[in-house]
Amino acid sequence: MAGVRHATDRVLAGIKVHVARHVAEAFDRMGAEVNKRNLAGMKLIGITPKSIGAEAVLKRARDANIALVEDAGRGYAMDVWRVFSDEANFGVDVGELKSKLWDLMKERGDVSESRAQLIAVDQTLKLNSALTEDRHKSVGIDSYIWSSSNDERVREMHRDLDGTQHSYDDPPVTNEQGDTNNPGGDYRCRCLATPVLSDEEEAAMPG
């Protein structure tokens, strides 16, 4: 079984190289679009932040995305290794072993597609949240009003937060596990941070 484990390690190494290249490219396309829309949203509410780079925020998000997909690939490779290392499979013929691996691939394929969609939505929301916080802070905005989506999909704790004021450096509890997050930071959270502006900033807003 050492040979199988060695082969699995090679697969994992290959996954890491492949993911780092292709997922990073896909993320850069998605990140550019989210960044553009985030800037447009800032302008709509009257905030015209100085031209600060979003590179640091985008790099952190890109690294997080790569790690998520690497974990998915690593999980698949380890599932294959477990099939080969299971003593119950030691005496089976090649045809039966291939059938088990095929079933695993079909099951994993369905799960991977579903997981990819969840990752894409969740990470897009998190990236927009991080860019919003970064740009608010760049112009001296440290507080916000929590604004939920006000529909049937909003979690109860997030609905209760709607209209409440918070500091970016002291976010509220947003889930039953006791985690604290700013809007968009929790899993698939669609809530937004409406900036709390000073009197001078409000006076300078268009319209």
Side-chain angles (χ1 to χ4, degrees):
M1 301 313 296
V4 174
R5 186 57 185 265
H6 182 62
T8 303
D9 290 341
R10 291 203 307 271
V11 171
L12 292 176
I15 287 171
K16 189 176 183 67
V17 173
H18 178 82
V19 165
R21 181 172 71 253
H22 293 286
V23 174
E25 291 173 357
F27 173 83
D28 286 343
R29 292 193 296 271
M30 181 271 284
E33 182 63 25
V34 173
N35 187 33
K36 182 174 71 175
R37 295 189 181 194
N38 184 269
L39 279 171
M42 294 294 101
K43 292 177 182 178
L44 281 175
I45 58 175
I47 297 175
T48 54
K50 290 174 289 187
S51 181
I52 58 168
E55 289 81 7
V57 175
L58 290 168
K59 184 181 184 304
R60 286 195 299 270
R62 183 195 298 114
D63 291 345
N65 274 255
I66 290 173
L68 283 170
V69 180
E70 281 179 352
D71 284 345
R74 189 176 298 109
Y76 172 73
M78 292 308 298
D79 281 350
V80 172
W81 182 82
R82 277 191 284 271
V83 170
F84 280 110
S85 61
D86 186 349
E87 292 183 2
N89 295 327
F90 286 0
V92 302
D93 60 41
V94 174
E96 185 177 349
L97 193 58
K98 285 173 63 178
S99 177
K100 289 188 177 185
L101 289 172
W102 178 244
D103 289 342
L104 174 63
M105 289 176 64
K106 288 193 294 184
E107 178 185 348
R108 267 287 179 176
D110 292 340
V111 172
S112 296
E113 182 177 356
S114 175
R115 185 177 180 187
Q117 292 173 347
L118 293 175
I119 288 174
V121 172
D122 182 54
Q123 293 301 301
T124 298
L125 293 169
K126 281 182 169 59
L127 175 58
N128 190 63
S129 172
L131 287 169
T132 298
E133 178 178 349
D134 190 62
R135 291 191 165 115
H136 281 182
K137 286 184 172 181
S138 76
V139 292
I141 296 171
D142 298 313
S143 299
Y144 60 84
I145 303 297
W146 188 290
S147 178
S148 78
S149 299
N150 291 313
D151 59 28
E152 68 280 356
R153 290 191 291 155
V154 176
R155 280 159 278 193
E156 183 176 354
M157 292 184 72
H158 293 206
R159 185 180 296 110
D160 291 341
L161 287 169
D162 188 57
T164 60
Q165 181 172 331
H166 304 276
S167 165
Y168 276 115
D169 294 329
D170 187 24
V173 174
T174 58
N175 57 46
E176 300 297 337
Q177 289 70 46
D179 300 324
T180 58
N181 291 284
N182 290 308
D186 207 349
Y187 177 67
R188 297 192 74 179
C189 173
R190 298 170 295 127
C191 300
L192 300 173
T194 302
V196 175
L197 304 176
S198 66
D199 292 340
E200 293 80 7
E201 288 166 331
E202 286 189 0
M205 284 182 65

